[in-house]
């Protein structure tokens, strides 16, 4: 009976270890947007993305509506120069409070999980907030 119990516990531990190693639920923790002399630095972790953009309510972006005005799909385009899955962009923003989200592969709108400052987006989710002083 004792051998059976030990064997059962060992199998359960092995199953849990195997299952957890296949999960990719642990996200890389990044700092929230930071205000620098060059502008606001936005960062987003999306290792499997092909394209990441920051969409926001500042006039030059207007939730990516600038794409229609300029004919470009590069509004708010972020870069992943090291290929490490950390996408960044620096946006020149004047003083104010701005709402934003990240758009992954042009279809998936995501709030900034690294920024606790947020506001209801009116669609059942949240927009992230950044204050520029």
């Amino acid at each position: 009976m004792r051998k059976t119990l030990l064997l059962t516990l060992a199998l359960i531990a092995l199953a849990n270890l195997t299952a957890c190693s296949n999960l990719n639920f642990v996200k890389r923790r990044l700092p929230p947007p930071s205000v620098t002399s060059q502008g606001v630095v936005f960062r987003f972790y999306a290792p499997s993305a092909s394209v990441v953009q920051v969409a926001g309510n500042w006039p030059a972006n207007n939730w990516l509506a600038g794409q229609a005005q300029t004919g470009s799909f590069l509004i708010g385009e972020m870069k992943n120069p090291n290929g490490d899955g950390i996408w960044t962009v620096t946006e020149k923003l004047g003083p104010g409070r701005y709402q934003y989200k990240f758009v992954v592969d042009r279809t998936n709108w995501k709030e900034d999980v690294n920024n606790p400052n947020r506001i209801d987006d009116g669609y059942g989710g949240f927009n992230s907030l950044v204050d520029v002083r």
Side-chain angles (χ1 to χ4, degrees):
M1 172 121 170
R2 185 166 167 87
K3 279 186 177 181
T4 305
L5 179 62
L6 289 175
L7 183 59
T8 302
L9 290 174
L11 287 174
I12 290 171
L14 181 62
N16 284 334
L17 186 62
T18 303
C20 289
S21 68
N22 292 328
L23 295 177
N24 189 18
F25 63 87
V26 178
K27 304 285 185 207
R28 259 183 117 156
R29 186 84 175 137
L30 297 173
S34 54
V35 180
T36 69
S37 59
Q38 290 80 31
V40 179
V41 180
F42 293 92
R43 298 167 193 86
F44 189 71
Y45 182 64
S48 61
S50 299
V51 177
V52 178
Q53 294 168 277
V54 64
N57 68 342
W58 51 94
N61 188 293
N62 193 23
W63 299 106
L64 302 182
Q67 293 178 162
Q69 297 162 354
T70 64
S72 170
F73 289 102
L74 303 178
I75 300 294
E77 182 182 30
M78 302 177 78
K79 301 289 184 191
N80 181 17
N82 300 332
D84 58 1
I86 300 174
W87 297 77
T88 61
V89 68
T90 302
E91 295 281 336
K92 287 272 193 193
L93 300 176
R97 176 175 249 197
Y98 300 98
Q99 299 179 36
Y100 69 96
K101 279 190 175 178
F102 297 107
V103 183
V104 180
D105 293 332
R106 298 201 169 112
T107 57
N108 297 316
W109 291 66
K110 305 285 186 184
E111 73 177 270
D112 188 346
V113 297
N114 296 302
N115 184 353
N117 300 321
R118 62 188 196 164
I119 189 169
D120 188 318
D121 69 1
Y123 297 98
F126 293 94
N127 291 335
S128 299
L129 293 171
V130 62
D131 286 309
V132 180
R133 299 183 195 274

